[in-house]
Amino acid sequence: MNLQEILDRVPDYKEFFTVEEMDQRTLALAQEFPDVVKVDQVGTSRWGRPIYCLTIGSGSRNALIFGCPHPNEPIGAMMLDFFTRELAENAALREELDFTWYIVKTSDPDGTSLNEGWFKGPFTITHYARNFYRPAYAQQVEWSFPIDYKTLHFDKPIPETQALMKIIQEHRPDFIYSLHNAGFGGCYWYLTGGDEGLYQQLYRQPKEEGVPLNLGEPEMPYCVELYPAVFESVGVIPHYEYLAKFQPDEDPAKLITSGSSSDEYATRLLKKPVYSLVNEMPYFFDPRVDDTSPGQRSRLDCMLESFDQSEAIGKLMKELYEKLQPVITTWNPFFLAVEDRVKSYFNKDASREWAKSNPEFRKTATVAQEFDNLYSARFYLNLNMALARRTCIYEKEHAENLTAEARRILDEVEAVAGQRLAQDSAYLEEHIHYTAIPIRKLVRIQAASGLIYAQYVRDMCKNTPQ
């Protein structure tokens, strides 16, 4: 496989496709390559949209790839727009990789449609935030797989997750590539396993594209680092055990509002090794994200300030939520997201105990660690104000028989959330020296990661009985 020749064929995408555009391209590909590409509707979204799965190839092992498991993360869908065509046209690649590919470009079409306001640009952190949507955890494709573990029992998969469960149950994949991306930071990976040679291969394409590795704080405190910017795959079980250790007086199940992840579910269901890959990449880049030179403050000091910011936003979110709760009469996806965050997202007691228990955190932070705690974290916190603001807009547009008092409350909360959103966006625009990374670069990185890891999985499976 000549990887660079393949990546050179990635189109120079200038914007993200909408759900309708992506579906049209899926159906058109099957019509163009009827002997190679098959399309089935494997499910229907809550709002009645079809969920399509493309089947390409006839290899000896099965692979599942799905985009938009978080609907504010469309880079993966764009990668699959390229990858499905490449597979359809490239018989040698299909034969060499030896997989039958089951591919869902947009696994959450409803949620993705609620992000389309920023899909065509301008690509700024302010425009992104104002048009942002990410569901409550239990409404997310990636985090609503069933699980029974100790006191945690979750069995409410959303229809979109059920579509993926059907593929997993019927086709028993050996390789799952869940396509995610971050808003800010650098490039990093979660995977089932590997070695230094594999990790160095994964590093090459980000370096080629000029996209840095994310060398600041890990996304979750319980991440197991295998190599710089490479982590062991995570599900809800490590989260459960982390809470049990650092908040021993609480039942972890009462603090978790979601289910399991795709790979954790598949491994427990199929009772066989399932190789999984996630390649996180940012939309926006600041040179500080991979600066490992010494910063100005201790890492613990930066972390505690980040926790303080989180709890301050959490207090405001709780106040807004309590005002909104009596006047929400619709199935409001933005309100459900606000409610979920108020219940579970901002409590940093376990994080404080974890941070204070580690003497390494009292050392001087790197510039990257400072940036993650003081700026990246603030970028993500700001998105909560967007959810509160959009709750009000959605309710005013969809509620029937809205009373004058309800409208007054909605207007008031929209104004407060909008003002805080504008204030924090202005602060971030001033203090983060960012550029928007071209979509083509990000697609090339994510495609390279998938192809490299697919080869690794193929080789590992040769020594594993079917």
Side-chain angles (χ1 to χ4, degrees):
M1 177 177 68
N2 190 316
L3 182 59
Q4 289 308 313
E5 280 188 6
I6 293 172
L7 299 179
D8 286 345
R9 290 192 282 272
V10 174
D12 189 12
Y13 299 112
K14 298 298 185 185
E15 59 186 31
F16 295 100
F17 295 134
T18 65
V19 173
E20 183 178 355
E21 289 168 339
M22 195 64 76
D23 284 349
Q24 290 172 350
R25 294 173 72 86
T26 291
L27 297 174
L29 187 72
Q31 290 179 344
E32 186 178 353
F33 299 94
D35 296 331
V36 178
V37 179
K38 177 185 175 186
V39 175
D40 295 298
Q41 183 175 337
V42 292
T44 303
S45 75
R46 286 161 290 182
W47 293 353
R49 289 184 172 90
I51 300 172
Y52 293 117
C53 177
L54 299 99
T55 303
I56 306 177
S58 55
S60 63
R61 300 280 180 163
N62 294 336
L64 167 62
I65 311 184
F66 56 98
C68 298
H70 292 143
N72 60 302
E73 301 175 357
I75 291 171
M78 302 302 291
M79 191 281 283
L80 291 176
D81 181 73
F82 159 72
F83 186 60
T84 51
R85 173 163 290 277
E86 182 67 25
L87 282 176
E89 295 178 339
N90 193 337
L93 179 63
R94 298 195 305 270
E95 183 177 352
E96 180 179 350
L97 294 176
D98 194 28
F99 284 102
T100 302
W101 300 89
Y102 299 92
I103 297 174
V104 178
K105 290 184 183 178
T106 310
S107 57
D108 183 359
D110 298 342
T112 302
S113 73
L114 295 177
N115 279 279
E116 289 176 353
W118 62 267
F119 277 14
K120 307 300 183 182
F123 297 113
T124 68
I125 56 178
T126 298
H127 188 64
Y128 174 78
R130 286 181 62 84
N131 294 279
F132 170 85
Y133 169 68
R134 187 182 179 107
Y137 273 108
Q139 303 295 321
Q140 294 177 11
V141 171
E142 185 63 278
W143 291 111
S144 66
F145 286 84
I147 188 167
D148 286 291
Y149 179 75
K150 296 185 178 180
T151 61
L152 177 62
H153 308 287
F154 184 93
D155 191 24
K156 297 178 180 178
I158 60 176
E160 295 84 349
T161 300
Q162 291 176 39
L164 297 181
M165 290 168 59
K166 180 181 177 182
I167 297 171
I168 292 170
Q169 291 162 6
E170 291 182 0
H171 301 294
R172 302 178 58 84
D174 300 284
F175 172 34
I176 295 178
Y177 193 6
S178 178
L179 297 167
H180 294 258
N181 63 262
F184 225 100
C187 193
Y188 57 107
W189 297 265
Y190 296 104
L191 41 73
T192 302
D195 52 41
E196 185 173 358
L198 171 69
Y199 308 147
Q200 288 292 335
Q201 286 187 69
L202 294 174
Y203 279 6
R204 288 175 190 162
Q205 201 59 40
K207 184 177 181 180
E208 180 75 20
E209 305 294 345
V211 175
L213 301 180
N214 193 70
L215 299 178
E217 299 293 352
E219 190 174 5
M220 285 85 66
Y222 46 85
C223 289
V224 176
E225 186 177 74
L226 303 174
Y227 204 68
V230 181
F231 301 92
E232 191 175 271
S233 293
V234 295
V236 75
I237 292 174
H239 185 198
Y240 182 103
E241 294 298 340
Y242 164 78
L243 292 172
K245 180 176 181 179
F246 291 103
Q247 286 187 250
D249 297 331
E250 294 266 13
D251 177 1
K254 294 181 178 179
L255 303 173
I256 296 172
T257 61
S258 66
S260 186
S261 61
S262 55
D263 58 300
E264 192 173 60
Y265 167 79
T267 298
R268 291 166 68 84
L269 174 75
L270 303 179
K271 294 181 172 56
K272 70 169 189 175
V274 177
Y275 294 89
S276 66
L277 174 67
V278 171
N279 176 203
E280 297 271 14
M281 297 164 304
Y283 298 118
F284 306 110
F285 162 67
D286 182 296
R288 287 170 286 184
V289 300
D290 66 343
D291 186 344
T292 57
S293 63
Q296 301 297 315
R297 302 166 60 178
S298 76
R299 187 175 175 187
L300 178 62
D301 185 38
C302 294
M303 295 169 82
L304 294 177
E305 181 174 329
S306 177
F307 300 154
D308 288 343
Q309 289 180 1
S310 178
E311 289 176 344
I313 287 290
K315 181 180 179 182
L316 176 56
M317 287 285 284
K318 188 172 186 293
E319 293 171 359
L320 298 180
Y321 167 75
E322 289 173 348
K323 289 181 179 180
L324 288 170
Q325 190 176 26
V327 301
I328 301 298
T329 60
T330 69
W331 193 91
N332 188 320
F334 300 98
F335 179 71
L336 293 174
V338 168
E339 182 176 52
D340 186 65
R341 284 153 176 78
V342 168
K343 289 182 177 179
S344 65
Y345 190 71
F346 301 104
N347 185 342
K348 294 298 178 182
D349 290 345
S351 297
R352 288 180 186 278
E353 291 304 312
W354 164 75
K356 290 177 180 178
S357 70
N358 192 331
E360 287 293 310
F361 294 162
R362 300 184 183 277
K363 297 179 180 178
T364 301
T366 65
V367 170
Q369 289 163 345
E370 282 188 347
F371 182 83
D372 262 1
N373 281 297
L374 304 180
Y375 296 104
S376 289
R378 190 161 179 168
F379 166 83
Y380 289 109
L381 287 171
N382 192 38
L383 301 177
N384 294 289
M385 289 297 107
L387 294 173
R389 173 180 170 271
R390 294 190 73 185
T391 294
C392 303
I393 295 171
Y394 184 93
E395 192 68 18
K396 287 187 288 187
E397 290 177 348
H398 292 86
E400 297 180 0
N401 303 316
L402 193 64
T403 67
E405 176 62 8
R407 183 172 292 278
R408 183 193 68 77
I409 292 171
L410 291 168
D411 287 342
E412 176 187 325
V413 173
E414 182 185 351
V416 171
Q419 181 179 15
R420 182 59 185 264
L421 176 66
Q423 172 189 319
D424 283 1
S425 293
Y427 176 88
L428 293 168
E429 292 282 5
E430 180 181 354
H431 289 87
I432 298 180
H433 313 301
Y434 72 92
T435 56
I437 302 171
I439 297 170
R440 184 174 192 257
K441 288 178 175 286
L442 300 175
V443 167
R444 283 161 58 99
I445 294 169
Q446 206 163 59
S449 293
L451 289 165
I452 290 166
Y453 201 65
Q455 288 182 307
Y456 172 80
V457 174
R458 177 202 62 197
D459 294 343
M460 294 296 291
C461 285
K462 287 179 179 178
N463 300 318
T464 304
Q466 289 274 16

